[in-house]
Short mmCIF file of all heavy atoms in Angstrom, two decimals:
data_model
loop_
_atom_site.label_atom_id
_atom_site.label_comp_id
_atom_site.label_asym_id
_atom_site.label_seq_id
_atom_site.Cartn_x
_atom_site.Cartn_y
_atom_site.Cartn_z
N ASP A 48 166.70 119.13 88.03
CA ASP A 48 165.96 120.01 89.04
C ASP A 48 164.58 120.29 88.51
O ASP A 48 163.58 120.42 89.32
CB ASP A 48 166.74 121.26 89.29
CG ASP A 48 167.03 122.07 88.04
OD1 ASP A 48 167.41 121.46 87.02
OD2 ASP A 48 166.92 123.32 88.09
N VAL A 49 164.39 120.41 87.19
CA VAL A 49 163.05 120.67 86.63
C VAL A 49 162.16 119.46 86.88
O VAL A 49 161.00 119.59 87.23
CB VAL A 49 163.13 120.98 85.10
CG1 VAL A 49 161.75 121.07 84.54
CG2 VAL A 49 163.91 122.26 84.88
N ILE A 50 162.68 118.26 86.65
CA ILE A 50 161.95 117.04 86.91
C ILE A 50 161.55 116.96 88.42
O ILE A 50 160.40 116.68 88.74
CB ILE A 50 162.77 115.80 86.51
CG1 ILE A 50 162.95 115.73 85.03
CG2 ILE A 50 162.10 114.51 87.04
CD1 ILE A 50 161.73 115.44 84.23
N ALA A 51 162.50 117.26 89.25
CA ALA A 51 162.25 117.16 90.68
C ALA A 51 161.17 118.17 91.12
O ALA A 51 160.27 117.82 91.90
CB ALA A 51 163.54 117.41 91.46
N ASP A 52 161.25 119.38 90.62
CA ASP A 52 160.23 120.39 90.92
C ASP A 52 158.84 119.90 90.47
O ASP A 52 157.87 120.09 91.17
CB ASP A 52 160.56 121.68 90.21
CG ASP A 52 161.50 122.57 91.03
OD1 ASP A 52 161.49 122.46 92.26
OD2 ASP A 52 162.22 123.43 90.44
N GLY A 53 158.77 119.33 89.28
CA GLY A 53 157.50 118.88 88.73
C GLY A 53 156.93 117.73 89.59
O GLY A 53 155.73 117.70 89.84
N VAL A 54 157.77 116.78 89.95
CA VAL A 54 157.33 115.64 90.74
C VAL A 54 156.79 116.10 92.12
O VAL A 54 155.72 115.69 92.51
CB VAL A 54 158.45 114.61 90.95
CG1 VAL A 54 158.03 113.54 91.96
CG2 VAL A 54 158.79 113.97 89.60
N VAL A 55 157.54 116.98 92.75
CA VAL A 55 157.13 117.47 94.07
C VAL A 55 155.81 118.26 93.97
O VAL A 55 154.91 118.09 94.77
CB VAL A 55 158.22 118.38 94.68
CG1 VAL A 55 157.73 119.10 95.94
CG2 VAL A 55 159.45 117.58 94.98
N SER A 56 155.70 119.06 92.93
CA SER A 56 154.49 119.85 92.72
C SER A 56 153.27 118.96 92.49
O SER A 56 152.20 119.17 93.05
CB SER A 56 154.66 120.79 91.54
OG SER A 56 153.46 121.49 91.21
N ALA A 57 153.44 117.93 91.68
CA ALA A 57 152.35 116.98 91.38
C ALA A 57 151.93 116.21 92.61
O ALA A 57 150.73 116.00 92.85
CB ALA A 57 152.77 116.06 90.28
N VAL A 58 152.90 115.72 93.36
CA VAL A 58 152.60 114.95 94.58
C VAL A 58 151.83 115.79 95.58
O VAL A 58 150.83 115.33 96.21
CB VAL A 58 153.86 114.35 95.20
CG1 VAL A 58 153.55 113.76 96.55
CG2 VAL A 58 154.47 113.33 94.27
N LYS A 59 152.22 117.03 95.76
CA LYS A 59 151.55 117.93 96.66
C LYS A 59 150.10 118.20 96.20
O LYS A 59 149.19 118.45 97.02
CB LYS A 59 152.31 119.24 96.83
CG LYS A 59 153.60 119.07 97.62
CD LYS A 59 154.32 120.39 97.75
CE LYS A 59 155.59 120.22 98.61
NZ LYS A 59 156.36 121.49 98.75
N GLU A 60 149.88 118.18 94.88
CA GLU A 60 148.58 118.53 94.34
C GLU A 60 147.62 117.28 94.35
O GLU A 60 146.43 117.44 94.67
CB GLU A 60 148.71 118.98 92.90
CG GLU A 60 147.43 119.47 92.27
CD GLU A 60 147.63 120.12 90.92
OE1 GLU A 60 148.73 120.54 90.60
OE2 GLU A 60 146.63 120.19 90.18
N VAL A 61 148.15 116.13 93.99
CA VAL A 61 147.27 114.96 93.88
C VAL A 61 147.47 113.93 94.98
O VAL A 61 146.72 112.95 95.11
CB VAL A 61 147.41 114.27 92.51
CG1 VAL A 61 147.11 115.25 91.41
CG2 VAL A 61 148.84 113.68 92.32
N GLY A 62 148.59 114.11 95.75
CA GLY A 62 148.86 113.11 96.79
C GLY A 62 149.62 111.93 96.23
O GLY A 62 149.76 111.74 95.04
N LEU A 63 150.17 111.11 97.13
CA LEU A 63 150.93 109.92 96.70
C LEU A 63 150.51 108.73 97.55
O LEU A 63 150.72 108.73 98.78
CB LEU A 63 152.43 110.19 96.88
CG LEU A 63 153.36 109.08 96.43
CD1 LEU A 63 153.21 108.84 94.96
CD2 LEU A 63 154.81 109.41 96.76
N THR A 64 149.88 107.78 96.93
CA THR A 64 149.39 106.60 97.67
C THR A 64 150.10 105.31 97.24
O THR A 64 149.76 104.27 97.78
CB THR A 64 147.87 106.42 97.40
OG1 THR A 64 147.66 106.31 96.00
CG2 THR A 64 147.09 107.66 97.92
N VAL A 65 151.09 105.43 96.38
CA VAL A 65 151.84 104.24 95.93
C VAL A 65 153.34 104.49 96.04
O VAL A 65 153.75 105.65 96.16
CB VAL A 65 151.51 103.90 94.45
CG1 VAL A 65 150.03 103.53 94.31
CG2 VAL A 65 151.87 105.05 93.53
N PRO A 66 154.12 103.44 96.10
CA PRO A 66 155.59 103.67 96.21
C PRO A 66 156.15 104.44 95.03
O PRO A 66 155.68 104.27 93.89
CB PRO A 66 156.13 102.22 96.20
CG PRO A 66 154.98 101.35 96.62
CD PRO A 66 153.78 102.03 96.11
N LEU A 67 157.11 105.28 95.31
CA LEU A 67 157.77 106.10 94.27
C LEU A 67 159.26 105.96 94.36
O LEU A 67 159.85 106.25 95.39
CB LEU A 67 157.36 107.59 94.45
CG LEU A 67 158.12 108.63 93.60
CD1 LEU A 67 157.80 108.36 92.11
CD2 LEU A 67 157.74 110.04 93.97
N VAL A 68 159.84 105.48 93.26
CA VAL A 68 161.32 105.35 93.17
C VAL A 68 161.79 106.37 92.14
O VAL A 68 161.28 106.50 91.06
CB VAL A 68 161.73 103.93 92.75
CG1 VAL A 68 163.22 103.85 92.52
CG2 VAL A 68 161.30 102.90 93.76
N VAL A 69 162.83 107.13 92.57
CA VAL A 69 163.37 108.17 91.67
C VAL A 69 164.86 107.93 91.47
O VAL A 69 165.63 107.79 92.41
CB VAL A 69 163.17 109.55 92.27
CG1 VAL A 69 163.78 110.65 91.36
CG2 VAL A 69 161.68 109.84 92.47
N ARG A 70 165.22 107.86 90.17
CA ARG A 70 166.62 107.76 89.79
C ARG A 70 166.94 109.00 88.96
O ARG A 70 166.37 109.21 87.90
CB ARG A 70 166.90 106.49 89.01
CG ARG A 70 168.34 106.36 88.52
CD ARG A 70 168.53 106.65 87.08
NE ARG A 70 169.89 106.46 86.65
CZ ARG A 70 170.27 106.27 85.41
NH1 ARG A 70 169.34 106.28 84.42
NH2 ARG A 70 171.53 106.13 85.06
N LEU A 71 167.88 109.83 89.45
CA LEU A 71 168.26 111.04 88.70
C LEU A 71 169.75 110.95 88.40
O LEU A 71 170.54 110.58 89.25
CB LEU A 71 167.99 112.30 89.55
CG LEU A 71 166.54 112.62 89.90
CD1 LEU A 71 166.45 113.82 90.80
CD2 LEU A 71 165.71 112.84 88.65
N GLU A 72 170.11 111.39 87.22
CA GLU A 72 171.51 111.45 86.83
C GLU A 72 171.68 112.46 85.70
O GLU A 72 170.79 112.64 84.88
CB GLU A 72 171.98 110.06 86.33
CG GLU A 72 173.51 109.93 86.27
CD GLU A 72 174.18 110.11 87.61
OE1 GLU A 72 174.04 109.25 88.47
OE2 GLU A 72 174.83 111.18 87.77
N GLY A 73 172.78 113.20 85.74
CA GLY A 73 173.05 114.13 84.65
C GLY A 73 173.00 115.58 85.11
O GLY A 73 173.38 115.96 86.23
N THR A 74 172.52 116.47 84.21
CA THR A 74 172.54 117.91 84.44
C THR A 74 171.75 118.30 85.71
O THR A 74 170.60 117.92 85.86
CB THR A 74 171.96 118.63 83.19
OG1 THR A 74 172.64 118.20 82.05
CG2 THR A 74 172.06 120.10 83.37
N ASN A 75 172.42 119.09 86.54
CA ASN A 75 171.82 119.59 87.77
C ASN A 75 171.27 118.45 88.69
O ASN A 75 170.28 118.60 89.39
CB ASN A 75 170.67 120.54 87.48
CG ASN A 75 171.14 121.89 86.98
OD1 ASN A 75 172.36 122.09 86.75
ND2 ASN A 75 170.25 122.82 86.77
N VAL A 76 171.97 117.29 88.68
CA VAL A 76 171.54 116.17 89.45
C VAL A 76 171.53 116.43 90.98
O VAL A 76 170.63 116.04 91.70
CB VAL A 76 172.33 114.90 89.12
CG1 VAL A 76 173.82 115.08 89.47
CG2 VAL A 76 171.76 113.69 89.81
N ASP A 77 172.57 117.13 91.45
CA ASP A 77 172.65 117.42 92.89
C ASP A 77 171.50 118.29 93.33
O ASP A 77 170.93 118.07 94.39
CB ASP A 77 173.97 118.07 93.20
CG ASP A 77 175.18 117.14 92.99
OD1 ASP A 77 174.95 115.91 93.10
OD2 ASP A 77 176.28 117.62 92.78
N GLU A 78 171.18 119.28 92.51
CA GLU A 78 170.07 120.15 92.84
C GLU A 78 168.75 119.40 92.84
O GLU A 78 167.87 119.59 93.68
CB GLU A 78 169.99 121.36 91.85
CG GLU A 78 168.82 122.31 92.06
CD GLU A 78 168.92 123.09 93.38
OE1 GLU A 78 169.95 123.01 94.06
OE2 GLU A 78 167.93 123.75 93.71
N GLY A 79 168.62 118.51 91.87
CA GLY A 79 167.38 117.71 91.77
C GLY A 79 167.23 116.81 92.98
O GLY A 79 166.13 116.69 93.56
N LYS A 80 168.30 116.15 93.42
CA LYS A 80 168.24 115.28 94.56
C LYS A 80 167.96 116.09 95.86
O LYS A 80 167.23 115.59 96.74
CB LYS A 80 169.59 114.51 94.73
CG LYS A 80 169.78 113.46 93.65
CD LYS A 80 171.08 112.70 93.83
CE LYS A 80 171.27 111.58 92.79
NZ LYS A 80 172.52 110.83 92.94
N ARG A 81 168.53 117.30 95.91
CA ARG A 81 168.27 118.17 97.08
C ARG A 81 166.79 118.48 97.20
O ARG A 81 166.17 118.46 98.24
CB ARG A 81 169.08 119.43 97.00
CG ARG A 81 168.94 120.33 98.23
CD ARG A 81 169.55 121.72 98.00
NE ARG A 81 168.84 122.43 96.94
CZ ARG A 81 167.64 123.04 97.10
NH1 ARG A 81 167.05 122.98 98.28
NH2 ARG A 81 167.10 123.68 96.09
N ILE A 82 166.17 118.82 96.04
CA ILE A 82 164.75 119.19 96.03
C ILE A 82 163.89 118.03 96.48
O ILE A 82 162.97 118.17 97.30
CB ILE A 82 164.33 119.64 94.61
CG1 ILE A 82 165.01 120.96 94.27
CG2 ILE A 82 162.81 119.75 94.51
CD1 ILE A 82 164.84 121.38 92.82
N ILE A 83 164.21 116.81 96.02
CA ILE A 83 163.46 115.63 96.40
C ILE A 83 163.65 115.36 97.88
O ILE A 83 162.68 115.09 98.64
CB ILE A 83 163.91 114.40 95.58
CG1 ILE A 83 163.56 114.56 94.11
CG2 ILE A 83 163.31 113.12 96.15
CD1 ILE A 83 162.09 114.48 93.81
N THR A 84 164.89 115.44 98.36
CA THR A 84 165.19 115.10 99.77
C THR A 84 164.49 116.11 100.73
O THR A 84 163.93 115.70 101.76
CB THR A 84 166.73 115.16 100.01
OG1 THR A 84 167.34 114.20 99.13
CG2 THR A 84 167.05 114.81 101.46
N GLU A 85 164.55 117.35 100.38
CA GLU A 85 164.00 118.43 101.30
C GLU A 85 162.50 118.53 101.17
O GLU A 85 161.86 119.29 101.93
CB GLU A 85 164.65 119.78 100.99
CG GLU A 85 166.16 119.79 101.30
CD GLU A 85 166.79 121.12 101.01
OE1 GLU A 85 166.09 122.04 100.53
OE2 GLU A 85 168.00 121.23 101.24
N SER A 86 161.87 117.82 100.21
CA SER A 86 160.43 117.92 100.05
C SER A 86 159.65 117.21 101.13
O SER A 86 158.47 117.46 101.36
CB SER A 86 160.04 117.36 98.69
OG SER A 86 160.23 115.92 98.67
N GLY A 87 160.34 116.26 101.79
CA GLY A 87 159.67 115.48 102.81
C GLY A 87 158.79 114.37 102.26
O GLY A 87 158.07 113.69 102.99
N LEU A 88 158.92 114.13 100.94
CA LEU A 88 158.13 113.04 100.33
C LEU A 88 158.74 111.69 100.69
O LEU A 88 159.92 111.58 100.93
CB LEU A 88 158.13 113.21 98.82
CG LEU A 88 157.52 114.49 98.24
CD1 LEU A 88 157.64 114.49 96.72
CD2 LEU A 88 156.08 114.64 98.65
N ASN A 89 157.88 110.70 100.70
CA ASN A 89 158.30 109.32 100.96
C ASN A 89 158.80 108.74 99.66
O ASN A 89 158.08 108.00 98.95
CB ASN A 89 157.16 108.52 101.54
CG ASN A 89 157.60 107.09 101.90
OD1 ASN A 89 158.80 106.84 102.10
ND2 ASN A 89 156.67 106.19 102.00
N VAL A 90 160.06 109.08 99.29
CA VAL A 90 160.60 108.69 98.02
C VAL A 90 161.75 107.68 98.24
O VAL A 90 162.60 107.91 99.16
CB VAL A 90 161.13 109.91 97.23
CG1 VAL A 90 161.82 109.49 95.95
CG2 VAL A 90 159.96 110.83 96.93
N ILE A 91 161.81 106.67 97.44
CA ILE A 91 162.92 105.70 97.48
C ILE A 91 163.91 106.13 96.43
O ILE A 91 163.63 106.20 95.25
CB ILE A 91 162.43 104.28 97.20
CG1 ILE A 91 161.30 103.90 98.19
CG2 ILE A 91 163.59 103.28 97.25
CD1 ILE A 91 160.62 102.58 97.82
N ALA A 92 165.16 106.43 96.87
CA ALA A 92 166.22 106.85 95.94
C ALA A 92 166.90 105.63 95.30
O ALA A 92 167.02 104.59 95.93
CB ALA A 92 167.25 107.68 96.66
N ALA A 93 167.23 105.78 94.03
CA ALA A 93 167.94 104.69 93.31
C ALA A 93 169.21 105.28 92.71
O ALA A 93 169.29 106.43 92.28
CB ALA A 93 167.04 104.16 92.21
N ASP A 94 170.25 104.41 92.67
CA ASP A 94 171.54 104.84 92.18
C ASP A 94 171.69 104.69 90.68
O ASP A 94 172.42 105.45 90.04
CB ASP A 94 172.66 104.05 92.86
CG ASP A 94 172.68 104.29 94.37
OD1 ASP A 94 172.43 105.46 94.79
OD2 ASP A 94 172.98 103.32 95.11
N ASN A 95 171.04 103.72 90.11
CA ASN A 95 171.10 103.46 88.69
C ASN A 95 169.80 102.79 88.19
O ASN A 95 168.90 102.55 88.98
CB ASN A 95 172.32 102.66 88.29
CG ASN A 95 172.44 101.39 89.13
OD1 ASN A 95 171.47 100.56 89.15
ND2 ASN A 95 173.55 101.20 89.82
#
């Protein structure tokens, strides 16, 4: 969730002009995925 918060914050600050793939696994993974999903960012999710 900390990683997800940081990524969302950075994208909102500097913008995103290139493809972004995020793979999250481990501690608080569900919360992290929720933050990414609800951010509205154009993110490609990866399973592994």
Side-chain angles (χ1 to χ4, degrees):
D48 58 317
V49 173
I50 293 289
D52 274 334
V54 170
V55 171
S56 175
V58 171
K59 289 181 178 179
E60 185 173 341
V61 302
L63 183 63
T64 58
V65 297
L67 171 63
V68 174
V69 177
R70 179 256 182 160
L71 297 176
E72 195 61 69
T74 306
N75 288 5
V76 61
D77 292 335
E78 178 66 9
K80 289 181 177 179
R81 183 192 65 77
I82 292 171
I83 294 290
T84 301
E85 295 179 1
S86 69
L88 300 178
N89 184 21
V90 176
I91 304 170
D94 297 324
N95 52 55

